[in-house]
């Protein structure tokens, strides 16, 4: 296997480099901000025809439900998003891999960051070059390479590319969970760290919105009849923030507030959006109870009502024994390819959290090496396109050779 890999697949992958670089530049210039539904659809169509050409499999394009979020009036608002792509090969195979990626970026249609630019010989800047258009390319090329291997006949695979990952995968979550149940291994193509390290354990994340209604009144004439929603929310926010002092591995970030109006009116509406990160399901339950208690306390006050929406959309992803076995597999492939890599825990989360929560062990940072993601300084290292494509192709070789050892 190894000889065949080095002489045939490895050099085939090397010959794809120029084409991969020009494709990545083209993809980076298509705006696919999560809420730019038309832009994501255009991106999805380009990726779909590229994938069909590389892999010779028909792509299924499925619309995703709009995202509901609390707006500044305290009402639930629907926003449409782009579609999801799915491809499938050899559904009858007993060894099955699920490949996941996202086509959306954090850069809205109005962002000033719209096009790729060359930073130096080996560094390309641009929206999504690392997170994760580069990763999608690595995924598709690695599968295309592996399909030339004699071992390919032993492997069934599904690809799921969603368009709401950057906003929490709310609409694609049921599809991710369903796909996870059919596979024994998940491979996700988020960028690895600039030094080549991959994500080990990941924390879980929940997004919440709390809406407090009080009672409006004239601030001078009838102040005593009013119920100040901003004051009630402020107390509640202090209580929420207190969660940061209660458990070491739990953090709560008060992210955004809105409400109120002219200063001569007692405000009847105040809203706060916040995010919680946890490392275990036990801490998640603890945090959920804390939030419920705070909301309850507002509702017990005369003249106030509070509602909470949202919740934990990504459970924690601990480095359990199945995960550790996969780390070992990736490290040994890296050694064989002479690529330096390792694993490091991170507070960030991704669809890998969802897959593990659905019972699917997975490696989630198999995309290109890159950094400063989610900012207009986002970049990727061009030589990692070939390196990471080889890494994934080799992982597929190794697991088809000895599935019992790794899965
Ligand atoms: Zn990403």
């Amino acid at each position: 296997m190894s000889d065949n890999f080095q002489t045939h697949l490895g050099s085939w992958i090397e010959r794809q480099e120029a084409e991969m670089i020009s494709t990545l530049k083209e993809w980076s210039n298509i705006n696919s901000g999560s809420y730019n539904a038309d832009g994501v659809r255009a991106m999805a169509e380009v990726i779909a025809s590229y994938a069909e050409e590389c892999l010779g499999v028909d792509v299924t394009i499925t619309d995703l439900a709009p995202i509901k979020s609390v707006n500044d009036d305290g009402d639930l608002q629907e926003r449409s998003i782009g579609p999801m792509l799915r491809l499938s090969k050899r559904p009858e195979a007993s060894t099955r891999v699920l490949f996941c990626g996202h086509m959306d970026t954090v850069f809205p249609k109005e962002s000033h960051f719209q096009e790729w630019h060359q930073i130096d010989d080996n560094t390309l800047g641009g929206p999504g070059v690392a997170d994760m258009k580069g990763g999608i390319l690595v995924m598709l090329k690695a599968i295309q390479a592996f399909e030339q291997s004699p071992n390919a006949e032993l492997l069934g695979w599904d690809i799921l590319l969603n368009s709401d990952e950057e906003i929490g995968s709310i609409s694609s979550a049921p599809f991710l969970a369903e796909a996870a149940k059919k596979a024994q291994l998940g491979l996700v193509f988020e960028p690895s760290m600039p030094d080549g390290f991959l994500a080990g354990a990941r924390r879980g994340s929940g997004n919440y919105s709390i809406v407090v209604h009080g009672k409006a009144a004239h601030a001078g004439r009838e102040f005593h009849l009013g119920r100040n929603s901003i004051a009630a929310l402020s107390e509640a926010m202090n209580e929420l923030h207190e969660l940061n002092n209660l458990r070491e591995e739990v953090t709560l970030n008060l992210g955004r507030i809105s409400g109120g109006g002219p200063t001569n009116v007692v405000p009847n509406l105040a809203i706060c959006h916040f995010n919680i990160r946890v490392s275990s399901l036990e801490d998640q339950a603890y945090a959920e109870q804390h939030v419920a208690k705070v909301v309850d306390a507002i509702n017990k006050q005369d003249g106030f009502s509070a509602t909470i929406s949202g919740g934990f959309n990504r459970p924690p992803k601990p480095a359990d024994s199945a995960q550790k076995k996969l780390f070992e597999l990736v490290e040994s492939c890296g050694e064989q390819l002479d690529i330096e890599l390792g694993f490091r825990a991170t507070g960030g989360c991704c669809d890998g959290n969802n897959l593990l929560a659905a019972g699917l062990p997975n490696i989630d940072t198999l995309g290109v090496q890159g950094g400063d993601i989610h900012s207009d300084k986002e970049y990727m290292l061009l030589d990692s396109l070939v390196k990471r494509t080889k890494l994934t192709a080799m992982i597929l070789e190794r697991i088809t050779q000895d599935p019992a050892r790794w899965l």
Side-chain angles (χ1 to χ4, degrees):
M1 177 284 291
S2 172
D3 287 349
N4 176 53
F5 187 91
Q6 302 294 7
T7 56
H8 180 66
L9 294 192
S11 58
W12 183 85
I13 291 168
E14 283 162 20
R15 290 199 301 276
Q16 309 308 308
E17 188 176 30
E19 179 266 305
M20 289 175 85
I21 293 172
S22 68
T23 302
L24 181 56
K25 289 174 175 173
E26 189 192 314
W27 289 5
S28 175
N29 285 1
I30 300 172
N31 181 284
S32 59
S34 307
Y35 289 117
N36 177 9
D38 291 341
V40 178
R41 189 170 294 277
M43 185 76 258
E45 278 162 12
V46 168
I47 292 176
S49 57
Y50 185 86
E52 282 180 343
E53 199 177 310
C54 286
L55 305 177
V57 174
D58 287 343
V59 176
T60 309
I61 303 186
T62 309
D63 285 336
L64 288 172
I67 303 286
K68 292 190 182 111
S69 59
V70 174
N71 65 18
D72 285 350
D73 296 323
D75 300 320
L76 273 182
Q77 182 192 11
E78 284 196 349
R79 296 177 79 181
S80 56
I81 57 168
M84 166 181 77
L85 302 183
R86 280 177 296 179
L87 294 83
S88 188
K89 181 118 180 179
R90 299 185 200 93
E92 72 290 348
S94 58
T95 304
R96 299 197 62 77
V97 172
L98 173 63
F99 297 91
C100 280
H102 63 85
M103 300 178 286
D104 61 324
T105 70
V106 298
F107 305 105
K109 202 176 168 183
E110 307 75 37
S111 167
H112 66 276
F113 191 46
Q114 296 288 356
E115 287 184 359
W116 67 270
H117 60 284
Q118 196 83 31
I119 296 172
D120 63 39
D121 280 356
N122 191 37
T123 314
L124 184 75
V129 290
D131 186 16
M132 64 177 282
K133 297 177 185 189
I136 293 174
L137 260 177
V138 166
M139 173 205 296
L140 298 176
K141 277 293 167 199
I143 303 171
Q144 187 182 8
F146 175 71
E147 283 293 324
Q148 302 168 36
S149 158
N151 285 357
E153 289 308 316
L154 305 170
L155 186 78
W157 47 259
D158 291 279
I159 300 177
L160 192 160
L161 299 177
N162 62 8
S163 54
D164 60 347
E165 196 278 341
E166 296 292 6
I167 46 176
S169 303
I170 303 291
S171 294
S172 60
F175 297 100
L176 286 166
E178 186 195 315
K181 296 216 155 63
K182 287 190 262 171
Q184 290 105 44
L185 168 66
L187 301 177
V188 184
F189 291 78
E190 293 291 348
S192 71
M193 291 161 217
D195 62 2
F197 269 66
L198 288 83
R202 285 183 181 273
R203 297 171 84 194
S205 168
N207 286 309
Y208 289 88
S209 301
I210 180 168
V211 179
V212 178
H213 285 279
K215 187 166 181 276
H218 191 289
R221 223 187 300 179
E222 293 183 321
F223 180 73
H224 62 286
L225 294 180
R227 294 292 178 269
N228 192 313
S229 59
I230 292 180
L233 179 65
S234 302
E235 271 174 41
M237 289 195 302
N238 281 332
E239 286 302 310
L240 289 170
H241 184 67
E242 186 56 25
L243 185 61
N244 292 305
N245 301 321
L246 297 177
R247 284 206 177 183
E248 203 179 329
E249 294 285 307
V250 180
T251 56
L252 184 149
N253 182 50
L254 300 166
R256 185 164 182 268
I257 53 173
S258 58
T263 53
N264 61 353
V265 178
V266 176
N268 67 347
L269 176 67
I271 301 156
C272 173
H273 307 273
F274 58 95
N275 175 266
I276 307 180
R277 303 273 165 146
V278 297
S279 295
S280 69
L281 286 174
E282 197 205 335
D283 282 349
Q284 180 178 324
Y286 181 81
E288 283 167 340
Q289 271 172 19
H290 184 84
V291 170
K293 249 192 317 197
V294 171
V295 175
D296 207 37
I298 303 173
N299 281 318
K300 283 193 175 125
Q301 295 177 50
D302 171 52
F304 290 99
S305 73
T307 52
I308 186 95
S309 57
F312 275 84
N313 53 319
R314 300 204 201 278
K317 186 186 180 199
D320 61 14
S321 60
Q323 285 296 112
K324 283 186 179 146
K325 199 151 59 156
L326 294 181
F327 297 168
E328 198 192 314
L329 166 66
V330 175
E331 277 166 354
S332 106
C333 290
E335 234 165 76
Q336 204 172 332
L337 290 166
D338 209 12
I339 298 175
E340 244 183 272
L341 51 80
F343 287 86
R344 203 179 278 147
T346 165
C349 54
C350 72
D351 285 338
N353 292 60
N354 299 51
L355 298 185
L356 190 65
L360 184 65
N362 64 86
I363 300 291
D364 60 29
T365 21
L366 288 164
V368 295
Q369 286 164 254
D372 291 337
I373 60 170
H374 296 193
S375 85
D376 62 4
K377 304 278 187 301
E378 176 175 357
Y379 70 90
M380 58 78 67
L381 303 180
L382 288 165
D383 64 356
S384 67
L385 282 167
V386 163
K387 279 196 230 169
R388 295 288 153 168
T389 302
K390 284 183 179 176
L391 180 64
T392 291
M394 178 157 289
I395 291 169
L396 299 176
E397 285 278 356
R398 295 281 290 273
I399 59 158
T400 44
Q401 229 189 4
D402 192 0
R405 165 83 179 85
W406 302 110
L407 306 178

